[in-house]
Structure formats: C-alpha cells, structure tokens
C-alpha cells in the first residue's frame, strides 16, 4: 500500500530543507505561497501559471503597496514553488 501523498506546503517545506534554505526563508516562502493560493480562491497552483502570478504581484504592488523587495521575495517563492516543487520550469 502506498503512503498518502504529502500536502503541497509540506512538499515545499521538504524541498526547502533538502536544499538547506534558512529557516526564515522557509517561513517567508511558505507565507507567500499561502497568500498566492488564498488570493486565487484556494485554487491549486497546478491549475495556474504566469498570468495568475502576474495578477498576484500586481495586487501586491497596487492594492497592498508593498515594497519592491517584498514583491521580489514573493516572486522568488512562487518561482521556487513552480520550478523546484511542481517541476514546471517554463513558468
């Protein structure tokens, strides 16, 4: 019998730890990935792509008025999610 598949955020956490990311980076990336999913009404990231990432980052810039460095951190978290966890390098 196969073990149950891990939840997405647990997969992200495992990958971050495997690649020796700092604990604070792990917390930050998990935060931004959660915010991204919640912003898109809990859709799974497999169902989304570039346009949704752009919408989220635009929302951060225009509505939330976060700093450019914060936007870059959110983008880095999403790129990590798509490239390292979901194995979708074209995003």
């Amino acid at each position: 019998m196969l073990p149950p598949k891990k939840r997405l955020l647990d997969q992200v956490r495992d990958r971050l730890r495997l690649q020796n990311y700092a604990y604070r980076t792990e917390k930050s990336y998990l935060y931004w990935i959660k915010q991204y999913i919640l912003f898109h009404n809990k859709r799974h990231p497999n169902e989304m792509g570039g346009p949704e990432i752009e919408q989220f980052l635009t929302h951060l810039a225009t509505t939330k008025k976060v700093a450019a460095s914060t936007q870059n951190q959110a983008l880095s978290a999403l790129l990590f999610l798509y490239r390292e966890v979901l194995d979708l390098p074209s995003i």
Side-chain angles (χ1 to χ4, degrees):
M1 186 170 181
L2 294 173
K5 189 170 179 178
K6 287 191 173 188
R7 297 176 60 168
L8 178 66
L9 293 178
D10 291 334
Q11 291 176 31
V12 172
R13 186 177 292 110
D14 289 348
R15 180 62 67 142
L16 285 163
R17 290 180 181 177
L18 182 68
Q19 295 185 9
N20 296 316
Y21 277 72
Y23 178 69
R24 289 190 53 133
T25 303
E26 176 184 321
K27 284 177 54 175
S28 175
Y29 277 23
L30 290 171
Y31 172 80
W32 287 117
I33 292 167
K34 285 179 199 175
Q35 292 305 307
Y36 172 67
I37 293 168
L38 292 173
F39 177 77
H40 288 292
N41 300 312
K42 298 184 181 180
R43 287 175 53 203
H44 195 281
N46 275 336
E47 302 171 3
M48 300 184 281
E52 287 84 3
I53 293 173
E54 187 175 338
Q55 288 173 356
F56 178 65
L57 295 174
T58 301
H59 166 73
L60 292 179
T62 59
T63 306
K64 297 292 186 179
K65 298 193 185 318
V66 300
S69 60
T70 304
Q71 294 170 49
N72 286 334
Q73 187 178 59
L75 175 60
S76 294
L78 296 176
L79 290 176
F80 182 86
L81 170 66
Y82 279 101
R83 292 178 179 167
E84 301 294 329
V85 179
L86 300 176
D87 198 29
L88 299 171
S90 62
I91 298 291

